[in-house]
Amino acid sequence: MKGKFSKCFHFLIDIIYDFKYDKSMMKKENKQQRAYRIIKARIVEKVYAPGQRIVIDQLSRELATSSIPIREAIRQLEAEGLIEYKHNVGPVVAPINESEYYDNLKILGVLEGYAAALSAPYISAAKIMKLKELNERMKEALEYFDIHLFAKLNAEFHQLITRECQSKILYDTIAGIWKKLDSIRGIGSTLYSVRVKESIEEHERIIFLLEKKSDLKELEMFVREHKFKTADDFERRRSLRMESTGEN
């Protein structure tokens, strides 16, 4: 009975992610990309718990594919820190390291601030409109308590800006840190705080600075501080939780 419930739960999670996932992208994805998307979704949603073994043969049957795409997807997720290999066990879901979240957000703040200043001259009116649209959709997501959609839109907002920085090395480094942040599962629940509303308001300020072609140093420092505040808020609430639960 437990096995049937687990299969049902996996199936529902996959349907939800298929629904939220961009349909145009789904049509283009190959077997390895589909396997990657589904396994990652299950890890992020805690369907697969830290330390749980990833059974390749079982996934092959579920996804109606050979083991090759599954293994390729697992290698990609291992590179992102979501999966690790254990001797005599095989691939397992990597443990959660929340302490890395704070450090990565601080680094991201410095890099995104610099990238925003570099990107500013190349942000077109059409991209400004897209940023406004993303921020409005974030407001709606918050009203419906859809924190996963909120997080996805937040990432799109910042990536739209940094993508114009004219430096592939800088953009790839930033993208790599975003992937690291994905490896810290369960982070969505920590976003339920006054900080999410503040974040939307700060996005409006970022849009204003970009649209008015404001001083680049002011823009860089504001974007940096925007991310620093999120890092500090997360660390404060994590410390309070650890104190209340007696965690080390």
Side-chain angles (χ1 to χ4, degrees):
M1 186 71 179
K2 185 178 179 182
K4 288 182 179 179
F5 176 80
S6 178
K7 286 181 180 178
C8 252
F9 190 57
H10 290 180
F11 180 67
L12 286 172
I13 287 292
D14 296 341
I15 287 176
I16 291 168
Y17 267 77
D18 280 350
F19 180 76
K20 286 184 177 181
Y21 200 78
D22 186 330
K23 296 299 183 292
S24 64
M25 290 299 292
M26 285 180 65
K27 290 176 183 177
K28 299 175 184 177
E29 68 180 0
N30 57 35
K31 290 180 180 180
Q32 183 268 327
Q33 290 167 336
R34 179 171 179 265
Y36 166 83
R37 175 171 58 83
I38 289 173
I39 297 169
K40 182 173 182 176
R42 291 179 181 181
I43 294 172
V44 171
E45 291 295 319
K46 289 188 176 179
V47 176
Y48 291 165
Q52 182 174 338
R53 184 183 169 212
I54 304 296
V55 184
I56 293 173
D57 289 343
Q58 180 183 327
L59 279 167
S60 295
R61 290 192 296 271
E62 282 186 46
L63 304 183
T65 184
S66 71
S67 63
I68 295 174
I70 306 296
R71 292 181 187 279
E72 290 175 346
I74 287 173
R75 278 196 289 270
Q76 185 176 350
L77 290 164
E78 184 186 12
E80 294 178 13
L82 284 166
I83 286 175
E84 63 183 20
Y85 271 85
K86 283 194 173 181
H87 184 60
N88 293 330
V89 176
V92 299
V93 178
I96 297 172
N97 188 348
E98 287 187 340
S99 63
E100 289 185 3
Y101 190 76
Y102 177 81
D103 291 337
N104 277 292
L105 270 182
K106 286 285 190 175
I107 295 168
L108 195 59
V110 174
L111 295 179
E112 283 195 352
Y114 179 51
L118 293 178
S119 298
Y122 304 98
I123 301 290
S124 65
K127 287 186 171 65
I128 292 290
M129 290 301 297
K130 181 63 177 177
L131 289 171
K132 290 179 179 179
E133 176 195 332
L134 287 170
N135 213 35
E136 286 301 314
R137 288 175 62 194
M138 286 178 68
K139 290 179 185 177
E140 292 173 6
L142 198 56
E143 288 174 4
Y144 288 98
F145 299 99
D146 191 340
I147 205 65
H148 294 293
L149 178 58
F150 179 96
K152 176 178 178 292
L153 294 170
N154 179 60
E156 286 183 27
F157 180 93
H158 288 283
Q159 288 162 7
L160 179 60
I161 297 172
T162 57
R163 196 174 290 118
E164 302 299 320
C165 71
Q166 312 300 303
S167 170
K168 187 177 185 302
I169 294 175
L170 178 58
Y171 179 74
D172 287 349
T173 302
I174 290 171
I177 295 175
W178 275 100
K179 285 184 178 180
K180 283 184 181 179
L181 295 179
D182 273 347
S183 72
I184 306 169
R185 276 83 68 212
I187 212 66
S189 61
T190 67
L191 293 174
Y192 285 109
S193 75
V194 68
R195 179 66 199 144
V196 288
K197 291 184 178 180
E198 290 176 351
S199 182
I200 290 172
E201 292 171 359
E202 288 164 13
H203 282 182
E204 291 175 351
R205 177 65 181 173
I206 292 170
I207 293 170
F208 174 82
L209 293 173
L210 288 168
E211 190 171 24
K212 300 301 179 184
K213 306 294 183 185
S214 299
D215 178 72
L216 295 182
K217 193 63 179 178
E218 180 184 359
L219 173 64
E220 178 178 353
M221 296 308 295
F222 188 85
V223 172
R224 179 186 296 192
E225 190 62 26
H226 167 69
K227 198 68 71 178
F228 281 9
K229 286 180 180 178
T230 299
D232 292 340
D233 181 68
F234 168 79
E235 188 64 13
R236 176 184 60 80
R237 286 181 291 110
R238 187 175 80 94
S239 298
L240 288 173
R241 189 199 72 216
M242 292 174 68
E243 287 177 10
S244 65
T245 59
E247 295 177 44
N248 292 322

